Amino acid sequence: MNGSTVTEFILVGFEQSSPPTRALLFALFLALYSLAMAMNGLIIFITWTDPRLNSPMYFFLGHLSFLDVCFITTTIPHMLIHLTVKNHIVSFVACMTQMDLVFCVGVAECILLAFMAYNHYVAICHPLSYAQIMSRQVCVRLVSTAWSFGLINGILLDYMTFRGPFCRDNHIENFFCEAPIVIALSCGDPQFSLKVIFADAIVVLLSPMVLIVISYARILASILGRNPSSGRGKTFSTCASHLTVVIFFYTSAMFSYMNPRSTHGPDKDKLFSLLYTIITPMCNPVIYSFRNKEMKGAMVRALGRSSLPQAESV
């Protein structure tokens, strides 16, 4: 890095768009960002303060929402600045930091989603042993594993991305610093770094995906063996919605980090980056929480508590 001539990067992103289009995109993404922050913030507050939501599912949901808040805050504010300023310049250190955070939070979320699928499997297929298998201590260890794996991967992949000198074009064809695009700007041979990232993606993307598929396959097998009157339709609908979010998140991440660079393009990269940086964090609260009766009741109680001081002051 000391011998590199590039000291900053320019995020090209939506630079080719017309001013009206950029203004429309700014308003749209600002609204989506605000909505995602509000929904995930509400879930964090409820799951961490309401004593009635003390089951493993809500413990995981709170951490998932916290990861989503970190994820969108790492990427979307930069994109909003880029939409208002042409040639949005990002320093070398800022690009490294952003990429490290994206890797850390993204990998942690991949693993946490797998643990949540396993939690659903145990709850539905082994209800009598659920409290023993998914004890508080086990849940804390699983969340700690997700965060630890994310931190380690963030450091490793950040090093692999920036280990070579940069003396070529410093224009990044995206709205944030994404590893495969940045590696392509390196003066050295990018193949080794890309192979390491590909191998790592197999571990942090495909392995959790396999666990998720196995968990939901067993859940569906258990559901199909029940009587239609035993809530089969509701459980099937919940599993289908969970799988939809998982497919969006994993397929978009796989395209970005596991596809050959020859199949990429600026428009494709931005589309798939948007899917896993803002669309999924916005959908997670709706899919995992707002369709849940206990969560709805907790929200009503939380809003009721917040309205009491205002009523008393009046």
Side-chain angles (χ1 to χ4, degrees), residues 16-268:
Q16 304 300 323
S17 302
S18 63
T21 302
R22 290 160 66 93
L24 179 62
L25 289 174
F26 177 86
L28 174 63
F29 292 137
L30 178 61
L32 292 176
Y33 174 68
S34 302
L35 185 61
M37 287 290 289
M39 290 191 298
N40 283 292
L42 180 60
I43 291 172
I44 293 170
F45 174 76
I46 290 173
T47 55
W48 291 2
T49 59
D50 195 320
R52 302 186 193 183
L53 303 180
N54 58 358
S55 69
M57 179 178 70
Y58 299 112
F59 179 76
F60 289 131
L61 279 175
H63 283 275
L64 178 65
S65 291
F66 183 72
L67 284 170
D68 283 337
V69 167
C70 294
F71 206 2
I72 58 178
T73 303
T74 303
T75 55
I76 303 306
H78 270 285
M79 182 178 69
L80 295 175
I81 294 173
H82 165 72
L83 286 169
T84 57
V85 179
K86 270 201 168 186
N87 294 329
H88 180 207
I89 296 174
V90 179
S91 69
F92 201 92
V93 174
C95 190
M96 288 181 64
T97 304
Q98 184 188 53
M99 194 178 298
D100 180 66
L101 292 173
V102 167
F103 277 134
C104 173
V105 176
V107 169
E109 183 159 338
C110 285
I111 298 172
L112 185 63
L113 286 171
F115 290 154
M116 291 176 68
Y118 175 73
N119 175 65
H120 292 147
Y121 158 72
V122 175
I124 294 173
C125 299
H126 302 282
L128 298 179
S129 306
Y130 178 68
Q132 182 180 0
I133 297 173
M134 301 301 296
S135 65
R136 184 73 174 186
Q137 188 177 15
V138 170
C139 293
V140 170
R141 286 178 180 175
L142 291 176
V143 171
S144 299
T145 299
W147 274 107
S148 300
F149 213 86
L151 288 170
I152 294 170
N153 269 261
I155 295 171
L156 169 66
L157 299 180
D158 214 31
Y159 168 75
M160 294 308 302
T161 302
F162 292 95
R163 70 188 185 93
F166 288 83
C167 53
R168 295 179 183 171
D169 184 19
N170 65 341
H171 289 71
I172 298 175
E173 296 281 348
N174 211 327
F175 56 86
F176 73 102
C177 295
E178 196 168 40
I181 301 175
V182 174
I183 290 174
L185 303 177
S186 173
C187 297
D189 184 9
Q191 292 306 313
F192 178 71
S193 295
L194 290 174
K195 287 177 182 178
V196 171
I197 290 179
F198 180 84
D200 186 79
I202 292 176
V203 176
V204 301
L205 289 175
L206 287 185
S207 299
M209 187 69 176
V210 169
L211 178 59
I212 290 171
V213 170
I214 292 174
S215 297
Y216 280 109
R218 294 196 172 188
I219 289 172
L220 291 176
S222 176
I223 293 170
L224 293 175
R226 297 178 181 178
N227 293 325
S229 59
S230 60
R232 186 167 72 178
K234 180 182 177 182
T235 308
F236 183 82
S237 173
T238 301
C239 291
S241 59
H242 289 185
L243 279 173
T244 302
V245 173
V246 167
I247 289 170
F248 271 132
F249 183 76
Y250 278 92
T251 53
S252 56
M254 285 176 184
F255 175 86
S256 297
Y257 294 100
M258 297 186 70
N259 262 15
R261 291 307 301 167
S262 58
T263 64
H264 287 235
D267 294 333
K268 287 183 180 179

